[in-house]
């Protein structure tokens, strides 16, 4: 059995009173294991930051419990929890140097100066900012400031590090670089990271496990691969990456699409919704026996990939992702007739 560090039990958080009360968290139960990178993923207002604030102690649950290493910490104030938080704004002290920022928490705890200096040096090496130790934080780039915030939060060696969308203010290239850095830091320190984001790519690339949230409820918890390839409902399928939704009718022979094509090997009864990822849609010649006929309606170029928007004979639409042709190679054209096949096992039946 996994070693659980953080657990929320039947957690409810309501804002407001009476009929006007809004449940930001609606009976959420979750276990986060020791030493894992766990991401809470969902759109704005889904409750992910509220759950993070309950773990930190900045909010109290309306009902339910928060446990750390099996001990109930629901009523403990933030300063008595072995938990640190990295905020979206970083909240650095502009009048202090990088080294002083990193060592601030240790100094406030009354740690010996030699211990503070040694820990600061270690943390700056960990985030690769040794040369910036004596600079003011106002002299740093956004990515460097983010690393200072991480080093400051890691310096007291918390049992859990909470990260509230810390990459959202960075540009795309720097954000991708920091995704790698965050995962490296988590692996090297062994500290449990609980990361909040609305960015699916961040969640998929960094996480050991993901908890997908919507409307105050946990929709699914699992590894990135499980979440992506085996979504439990339409919300998860649509929120994680891109996908196609196709209405169909299930029966003994498989699932029948509106255009009459039958998808073999799909166990379903009655009216259902199928989902298929664009990269699992295979293009063939229009006349190939057994292929689903389709017409190219739009081509969207993404560099290495091209997204083909296709129309089926009944008017249903589907998107296929294909590798862009090399320079000089002829590609597909709008209005071209093609055939479609789906990768074996890639079609999923969804709950609405």
């Amino acid at each position: 059995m996994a070693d659980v560090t953080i657990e929320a039990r039947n957690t409810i958080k309501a804002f407001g009173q009476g009929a006007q009360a809004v449940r930001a968290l609606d009976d959420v139960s979750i276990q986060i294991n020791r030493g894992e990178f766990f991401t809470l993923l969902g759109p704005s207002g889904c409750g992910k930051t509220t759950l993070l604030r309950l773990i930190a102690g900045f909010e109290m649950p309306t009902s339910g419990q928060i446990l750390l290493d099996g001990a109930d910490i629901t009523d403990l104030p933030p300063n008595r929890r072995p938990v640190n938080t990295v905020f979206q704004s970083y909240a650095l002290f502009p009048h202090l140097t990088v080294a002083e920022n990193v060592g601030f928490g240790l100094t406030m705890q009354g740690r010996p100066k030699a211990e503070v200096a040694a820990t600061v040096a270690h943390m700056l090496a960990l985030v690769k900012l040794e040369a910036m130790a004596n600079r003011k934080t106002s002299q740093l780039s956004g990515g460097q400031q983010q690393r200072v915030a991480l080093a400051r939060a890691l310096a007291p060696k918390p049992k859990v590090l909470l990260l509230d969308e810390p990459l959202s203010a960075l540009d795309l290239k720097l954000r991708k670089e920091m995704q790698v850095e965050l995962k490296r830091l988590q692996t090297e320190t062994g500290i449990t990271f609980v990361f909040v984001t609305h960015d699916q790519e961040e969640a998929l690339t960094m996480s050991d496990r993901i908890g997908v949230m919507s409307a105050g409820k946990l929709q699914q918890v699992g590894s990135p691969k499980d979440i992506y390839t085996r979504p439990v409902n339409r919300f998860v399928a649509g929120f994680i990456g891109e996908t196609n939704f196709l209405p169909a009718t299930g029966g003994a022979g498989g699932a029948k699409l509106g255009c009459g094509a039958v998808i073999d090997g799909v166990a379903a009864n009655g009216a259902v919704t199928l989902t298929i990822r664009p990269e699992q849609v295979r293009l063939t010649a229009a006349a190939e026996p057994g292929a689903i006929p389709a017409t190219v309606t739009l081509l969207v170029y993404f560099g290495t990939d091209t997204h083909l928007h296709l129309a089926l004979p009944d008017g249903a639409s589907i998107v296929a992702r294909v590798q862009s042709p090399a320079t000089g190679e002829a590609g597909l054209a709008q209005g071209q007739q093609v055939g479609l096949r789906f990768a074996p096992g890639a079609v999923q039946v969804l709950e609405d």
Side-chain angles (χ1 to χ4, degrees), residues 282-293:
R282 308 286 192 250
L283 298 187
T284 70
E288 182 174 302
I292 303 171

Side-chain angles (χ1 to χ4, degrees), residues 142-344:
Q144 290 168 336
Q145 290 180 7
Q146 202 251 17
R147 293 180 189 215
V148 175
L150 282 168
R152 184 179 64 183
L154 290 168
K157 298 180 180 178
K159 289 185 176 181
V160 179
L161 183 65
L162 309 175
L163 301 109
D164 188 8
E165 303 205 48
L167 308 184
S168 60
L170 305 179
D171 62 60
L172 179 61
K173 183 178 180 181
L174 186 54
R175 192 159 68 241
K176 289 182 177 294
E177 291 175 358
M178 287 309 303
Q179 289 171 13
V180 176
E181 284 299 302
L182 273 178
K183 185 58 181 174
R184 178 185 65 83
L185 285 170
Q186 191 272 327
T187 301
E188 289 187 11
T189 61
I191 292 173
T192 303
F193 278 26
V194 183
F195 186 86
V196 161
T197 185
H198 63 271
D199 188 304
Q200 304 112 28
E201 182 180 302
E202 285 182 359
L204 290 171
T205 56
M206 293 191 293
S207 311
D208 296 313
R209 288 193 304 148
I210 298 169
V212 184
M213 298 189 68
S214 174
K217 292 181 177 292
L218 268 173
Q219 301 294 318
Q220 185 174 357
V221 177
S223 69
K225 185 176 180 179
D226 288 340
I227 297 287
Y228 187 79
T229 62
R230 295 289 184 270
V232 297
N233 57 34
R234 188 180 181 116
F235 174 81
V236 176
F239 192 77
I240 301 290
E242 299 178 55
T243 197
N244 296 292
F245 296 113
L246 296 172
T249 303
K256 186 177 182 180
L257 301 180
C259 64
V262 176
I263 312 300
D264 296 328
V266 176
N269 291 306
V272 295
T273 298
L274 306 180
T275 182
I276 176 79
R277 298 289 182 182
E279 66 272 15
Q280 301 293 345
V281 179
R282 308 286 192 250
L283 298 187
T284 70
E288 182 174 302
I292 303 171
T295 304
V296 178
T297 60
L298 182 67
L299 297 92
V300 182
Y301 180 71
F302 283 93
T304 57
D305 296 331
T306 295
H307 288 197
L308 302 176
H309 293 249
L310 306 155
L312 302 185
D314 64 331
S317 61
I318 189 169
V319 177
R321 181 184 302 153
V322 299
Q323 187 173 1
S324 298
T327 303
E329 289 184 3
L332 294 167
Q334 189 171 339
Q336 186 170 341
Q337 302 298 306
V338 297
L340 302 181
R341 291 187 182 277
F342 301 139

